[in-house]
Amino acid sequence: MRNVQRRVLAVVASAATAALLAGCTVTAPPKTPVESPAGLEEFYQQQLDWNDCEPRGMECTTVTAPVDWENPDGGDIDLAVVRLVTDGGDRVGSLLMNPGGPGGSGVELVQQAAEFVTSDALRDSFDIVGWDPRGVGQSTGVACYDDAEMDAFLYGVPANPTGSDAWFAQQVEVEKAFAAACAENTGALLGSIDVESNARDMDLLRAVLGDEKLNYLGFSYGTSFGAHYAELFPRNVGRLVLDGAIDPSLGSAETFTVQMGGFENAFRAYVTDCLAGSACPFTGTLDEALAQASALFAGVEGRALTGDDGRQLTASTLGTALSYPLYDEASWPALSQMLTELGASDGDATMALQFADSYNSRTPDGGYADQSMAVYTAATCLDSQFVGGLDSTKATLAAIEAAAPTIGRYVAYADWVHIDIACQNWAYPSAITPHAITADGADPILVLGTTNDPATPYAWAQAMADQLASGVLVTRAGEGHTAYGQGNTCIDATVDDYLIDGTVPATDPLC
């Protein structure tokens, strides 16, 4: 899953103002003592030092966790945490939030967008808490390449046509070098970025925040954190909302194939809408327009299109640029503009490169705002199984093309091909075998799915809700990634009633 929630954070944060959440710091309630698991007392009983931080009204701290939960004496890491303390009179507890990824920053989510992704009612009832998962942001980090090396890795023009046998052979060498750099520059933490390690961190956060049970709002890949938490700690589950759910039972090849089909469905919806409006780069019927799109994409690399900074648009970078605006229906007009510029006789790749840069956290000066690509790769390698060499890589690419005939191969060049080859050469073995999660004994868990979600297809939410013994499916009919905080009052009310009052819908409200 390629850093999917980073796009959602970008959409939400774009609406934020400089004066976000201005106000005075309030005094947090006293912490309730919680039980510590045997052998982990030094972590579960640590006292936190909260300090005022930006923006006004926020408090920040650092929590210490073991690098390896199976070997708690083998070294420590720091987890960056931020909270907005409620000043409401009916405090329920803490509400942990995670934006997904892998690689998304919960600290940034809360600091930049808390008032846009939570309702007034939630902020009156909970301390809103975000943390940077292990390897991410201000927590102890993963490191692979410096900025110049990452630029060459992501945007370098291949010596051979993308998708050719010679290109695949070169990709093996490229990904081996990347995997080796990650191992050398990160160390042992690289083997402990898996979802279960993060779920154990969440229980630690629950304890040091003084909550008997965990209340959690997780988006996209963050739903995997929540599901694995419920599996490991079913009796500690309070109120969990898993929005844009992932099916934990799927293997890597099927996961990527289904996801690419989701992007294809979103692209078809975009083209349908585009043809009904003005300033559309395509004409005719839907099938005719899709054929025009396919011809445009197939010719991009051969035309050597460049942006205003001189960089050339490759087929894989095109895939990144296409996926970025498909996360959000409001971005479809910008996608039309990008495609119009690419299709012009003097084709311009500037906007496509800007979309890819935003997705990759690349700054205008060629730097990188975070190591999310490294975290994404590390977590994905540990959370599933990748075997079979190039034959397996190519077979799944063929399946992706069948499921997503217009855009699948391009998105997969940047995503599936990178991940599959890198993970086959990773320094640490997989930590997770994909399996259905039932979490027997957990309180009811809300699972949210959007019917035409490109990044986490609706079928995944249906599957997770079915697998969880206490799963309750809540459906949002529409386009775009995730459901809560997207302007659907039915969804927002259902989630708020559940988190604040514990009200579980008797049936799917079909919002």
Side-chain angles (χ1 to χ4, degrees), residues 187-209:
L189 175 61
L190 193 67
S192 297
I193 308 293
D194 60 281
V195 64
E196 285 194 358
S197 294
N198 279 287
R200 294 183 186 279
D201 291 345
M202 290 167 63
D203 196 60
L204 171 63
L205 293 172
R206 172 199 62 79
V208 298
L209 289 167

Side-chain angles (χ1 to χ4, degrees), residues 165-254:
D165 288 344
W167 178 81
F168 271 105
Q170 183 60 39
Q171 285 304 112
V172 172
E173 300 309 313
V174 168
E175 298 295 351
K176 282 182 177 179
F178 178 76
C182 295
E184 179 179 355
N185 295 325
T186 302
L189 175 61
L190 193 67
S192 297
I193 308 293
D194 60 281
V195 64
E196 285 194 358
S197 294
N198 279 287
R200 294 183 186 279
D201 291 345
M202 290 167 63
D203 196 60
L204 171 63
L205 293 172
R206 172 199 62 79
V208 298
L209 289 167
D211 292 304
E212 182 179 354
K213 292 196 172 187
L214 179 78
N215 303 307
Y216 176 64
L217 175 57
F219 300 95
S220 197
Y221 177 71
T223 66
S224 190
F225 285 6
H228 282 270
Y229 181 88
E231 180 177 51
L232 292 169
F233 306 102
R235 302 301 178 187
N236 293 349
V237 167
R239 299 166 188 172
L240 268 59
V241 177
L242 310 181
D243 185 359
I246 293 170
D247 182 351
S249 70
L250 298 183
S252 57
E254 188 175 1

Side-chain angles (χ1 to χ4, degrees), residues 14-95:
S14 67
T17 65
L20 178 65
L21 298 174
C24 298
T25 302
V26 298
T27 302
K31 190 176 80 170
T32 303
V34 296
E35 183 178 352
S36 302
L40 298 173
E41 291 83 0
E42 67 173 296
F43 298 104
Y44 271 70
Q45 294 178 12
Q46 63 187 291
Q47 300 299 308
L48 304 184
D49 182 17
W50 292 96
N51 299 292
D52 293 345
C53 58
E54 295 296 329
R56 290 179 62 193
M58 299 285 179
E59 297 178 343
C60 293
T61 193
T62 300
V63 174
T64 302
V67 172
D68 181 357
W69 279 101
E70 299 299 322
N71 179 26
D73 297 326
D76 299 339
I77 58 171
D78 291 333
L79 301 175
V81 182
V82 64
R83 70 180 177 186
L84 175 64
V85 178
T86 181
D87 56 2
D90 298 314
R91 180 181 183 274
V92 176
S94 303
L95 178 66

Side-chain angles (χ1 to χ4, degrees), residues 175-453:
E175 298 295 351
K176 282 182 177 179
F178 178 76
C182 295
E184 179 179 355
N185 295 325
T186 302
L189 175 61
L190 193 67
S192 297
I193 308 293
D194 60 281
V195 64
E196 285 194 358
S197 294
N198 279 287
R200 294 183 186 279
D201 291 345
M202 290 167 63
D203 196 60
L204 171 63
L205 293 172
R206 172 199 62 79
V208 298
L209 289 167
D211 292 304
E212 182 179 354
K213 292 196 172 187
L214 179 78
N215 303 307
Y216 176 64
L217 175 57
F219 300 95
S220 197
Y221 177 71
T223 66
S224 190
F225 285 6
H228 282 270
Y229 181 88
E231 180 177 51
L232 292 169
F233 306 102
R235 302 301 178 187
N236 293 349
V237 167
R239 299 166 188 172
L240 268 59
V241 177
L242 310 181
D243 185 359
I246 293 170
D247 182 351
S249 70
L250 298 183
S252 57
E254 188 175 1
T255 294
F256 277 84
T257 302
V258 174
Q259 187 189 43
M260 294 306 126
F263 278 108
E264 180 80 7
N265 290 338
F267 187 76
R268 291 176 66 91
Y270 150 72
V271 173
T272 300
D273 179 78
C274 177
L275 291 171
S278 59
C280 184
F282 309 117
T283 59
T285 66
L286 174 60
D287 287 343
E288 289 169 341
L290 292 174
Q292 294 163 26
S294 295
L296 172 63
F297 303 153
V300 161
E301 197 161 78
R303 294 168 65 198
L305 301 179
T306 60
D308 59 10
D309 60 2
R311 287 183 295 156
Q312 183 174 326
L313 182 67
T314 65
S316 60
T317 303
L318 170 65
T320 304
L322 286 169
S323 64
Y324 183 74
L326 289 175
Y327 280 95
D328 172 38
E329 187 176 0
S331 296
W332 288 358
L335 176 57
S336 289
Q337 182 181 344
M338 182 196 91
L339 295 173
T340 298
E341 293 179 1
L342 288 178
S345 57
D346 57 347
D348 184 359
T350 298
M351 195 168 184
L353 287 162
Q354 288 173 346
F355 279 174
D357 288 350
S358 295
Y359 203 84
N360 291 324
S361 297
R362 185 183 189 272
T363 57
D365 62 359
Y368 286 81
D370 56 45
Q371 290 288 329
S372 51
M373 170 58 83
V375 178
Y376 162 66
T377 307
T380 307
C381 289
L382 297 177
D383 284 353
S384 194
Q385 309 288 325
F386 298 87
V387 295
L390 280 181
D391 288 343
S392 174
T393 307
K394 293 178 180 179
T396 298
L397 181 60
I400 287 171
E401 289 191 59
T406 314
I407 68 171
R409 76 171 71 179
Y410 304 100
V411 181
Y413 287 151
D415 197 1
W416 164 254
V417 173
H418 155 64
I419 283 294
D420 194 45
I421 300 175
C423 293
Q424 290 183 38
N425 293 281
W426 209 241
Y428 294 88
S430 171
I432 305 294
T433 299
H435 61 282
I437 293 178
T438 60
D440 295 325
D443 285 346
I445 298 170
L446 254 57
V447 181
L448 275 56
T450 297
T451 53
N452 204 26
D453 187 322

